[in-house]
Amino acid sequence: MRIFDPHIHMTSRTTADYEQMYAAGVRALVEPAFWLGQPRTSVGSFVDYFDSLLGWEPFRAAQFGIAHHCAIALNPKEANDPRCVEVLDLLPRYLAKDRVVAVGEVGYDSMTPEEDTAFARQLQLAAEHELPVLVHTPHRDKAAGTRRTLDVVRESGLAPERVVVDHLNEVTVGMVAESGCWMAFSIYPDTKMDPDRMVRILREFGVERMLVNSAADWGRSDPLRTALTGAAMLAGGFTEDDVDRVLWQNPVDFYGQSGRLDVSEVDASLAGEFLGNSVLRGGRE
C-alpha cells in the first residue's frame, strides 16, 4: 500500500512518527500552514514558520524516504488577529516557491468578517499564482460554514476542480460533491471521522475526487490513520486499485495541478521495492 497524506502537520510530530509512517507505506505528504496552538504575536513568527516548512521539514522527511511539499496561507483562526493580517502581503513571496503546491489552509473558523476578507483575498492569490486551494471548514456550525465556503468559492471564479474542501463528514459531503470541488476527510482517533465511517462514505459517493488525511496536529491524533483507512477499505470489499486511487493517485492528481509536485523519486523507489519483493517471492505477482 502506497500512501500520500494530503494534509498532515508534521511540525507537531517527531522523527519517530516519520519512521513509523514510512513503515506503514507513506511516501509523500503535503503540510499545510496552520495555527501553532497559541497566538503568534508578529509577522516575523510566520516568516520563521514558513521558512521551516520549506527547509527544515523537507530535510527531516527526506531522512526517512518521504517527499515533503507544503501549502502556505494565513489560517482562518489567526485571520481574526490584527497582528497577523500583514501576513497576507507576505504570501506572494512564498507562493512562488517550488515546494509550495497549494494555498492553504484557508476558509473559516468562526465565520467572521475578518475571515471573509482573508479567505477571498487568498482565493485571489491562488488564481494569480495558478495554485490549487486547500479549504478548512469550521468545527462549529459545520453545515452552515460549508455552504458559505462553497458560496465564496463560486464567487471567486476559481474552477471547482482546483479546490479541495476539508474536514467533511456525513452532513457536509453531499453539498461538496454536488459543487464539483474535491472532498477531503480528516481521520482521527476520537473526533472528526474514523476509518469505518469513511468506508461507508466511500461506498455511497465513490472514490473519485476523494482525499483522506490524518491531519495529525497538536491534539490527540494519529499519523497512521491513512493506513488504517486503507486496511478498512480492503476489509470492506474495496479493491487494491480503489485504495491506491484514494490514498495515492487522488492526492497526486489534485496537487499535481500546481505543476510543482515531484514524486518521481518516490515512484522510482516504490518500483524498486515492488521488483525486489517480486524477486523474493519468485517473481510471481
Side-chain angles (χ1 to χ4, degrees), residues 7-285:
H7 177 165
I8 181 168
H9 299 294
M10 293 309 298
T11 297
S12 66
R13 312 307 302 192
T14 67
T15 51
D17 289 318
Y18 272 122
E19 188 172 24
Q20 292 170 2
M21 289 162 62
Y22 183 89
V26 178
R27 295 294 183 272
L29 62 86
V30 167
E31 179 166 2
F34 82 133
W35 183 55
L36 287 182
Q38 68 178 34
R40 293 181 177 92
T41 59
S42 70
V43 172
S45 61
F46 281 90
V47 170
D48 293 337
Y49 174 52
F50 293 160
D51 285 347
S52 75
L53 293 182
L54 288 161
W56 173 241
E57 282 305 328
F59 171 79
R60 201 160 68 111
Q63 309 310 299
F64 298 90
I66 297 175
H68 182 291
H69 294 79
C70 69
I72 295 290
L74 173 62
N75 70 84
K77 190 175 185 70
E78 291 178 298
N80 295 294
D81 191 331
R83 295 172 297 183
C84 303
V85 174
E86 290 180 15
V87 173
L88 293 171
D89 297 325
L90 185 71
L91 292 179
R93 162 183 162 189
Y94 285 96
L95 297 180
K97 302 290 186 179
D98 286 344
R99 285 190 173 273
V100 177
V101 295
V103 175
E105 298 177 62
V106 300
Y108 289 113
D109 179 61
S110 300
M111 291 185 284
T112 64
E114 291 79 11
E115 291 171 23
D116 282 327
T117 299
F119 189 13
R121 184 167 174 188
Q122 291 182 99
L123 291 175
Q124 181 182 2
L125 285 172
E128 292 171 359
H129 289 265
E130 299 183 341
L131 289 172
V133 182
L134 169 62
V135 179
H136 170 101
T137 52
H139 303 300
R140 303 173 299 280
D141 298 325
K142 187 168 283 292
T146 302
R147 282 192 293 269
R148 187 161 167 180
T149 293
L150 295 173
D151 287 341
V152 174
V153 168
R154 279 191 290 269
E155 291 166 3
S156 76
L158 279 176
E161 62 268 20
R162 296 183 67 82
V163 178
V164 58
V165 183
D166 208 343
H167 307 312
L168 298 180
N169 59 22
E170 294 88 345
V171 174
T172 55
V173 59
M175 64 180 85
V176 179
E178 291 177 3
S179 75
C181 294
W182 289 67
M183 298 154 278
F185 302 81
S186 297
I187 314 299
Y188 269 51
D190 299 318
T191 60
K192 301 179 183 176
M193 294 295 296
D194 64 39
D196 292 333
R197 289 168 62 196
M198 190 68 234
V199 167
R200 290 194 289 272
I201 285 176
L202 290 169
R203 283 203 190 102
E204 181 175 356
F205 291 92
V207 299
E208 299 301 319
R209 290 189 287 123
M210 289 284 189
L211 300 181
V212 171
N213 67 74
S214 65
D217 56 21
W218 302 103
R220 187 163 185 267
S221 53
D222 178 5
L224 305 183
R225 288 283 144 165
T226 48
L228 290 175
T229 301
M233 288 178 66
L234 292 173
F238 284 91
T239 67
E240 291 184 2
D241 286 343
D242 291 331
V243 174
D244 192 67
R245 165 58 60 185
V246 172
L247 295 185
W248 182 265
Q249 197 57 54
N250 281 352
V252 168
D253 289 348
F254 178 74
Y255 289 114
Q257 296 178 96
S258 68
R260 300 174 183 172
L261 185 71
D262 184 5
V263 292
S264 56
E265 292 185 8
V266 175
D267 283 337
S269 68
L270 285 166
E273 288 178 18
F274 177 83
L275 290 173
N277 291 336
S278 176
V279 171
L280 289 173
R281 289 192 291 266
R284 296 178 182 175
E285 291 296 331

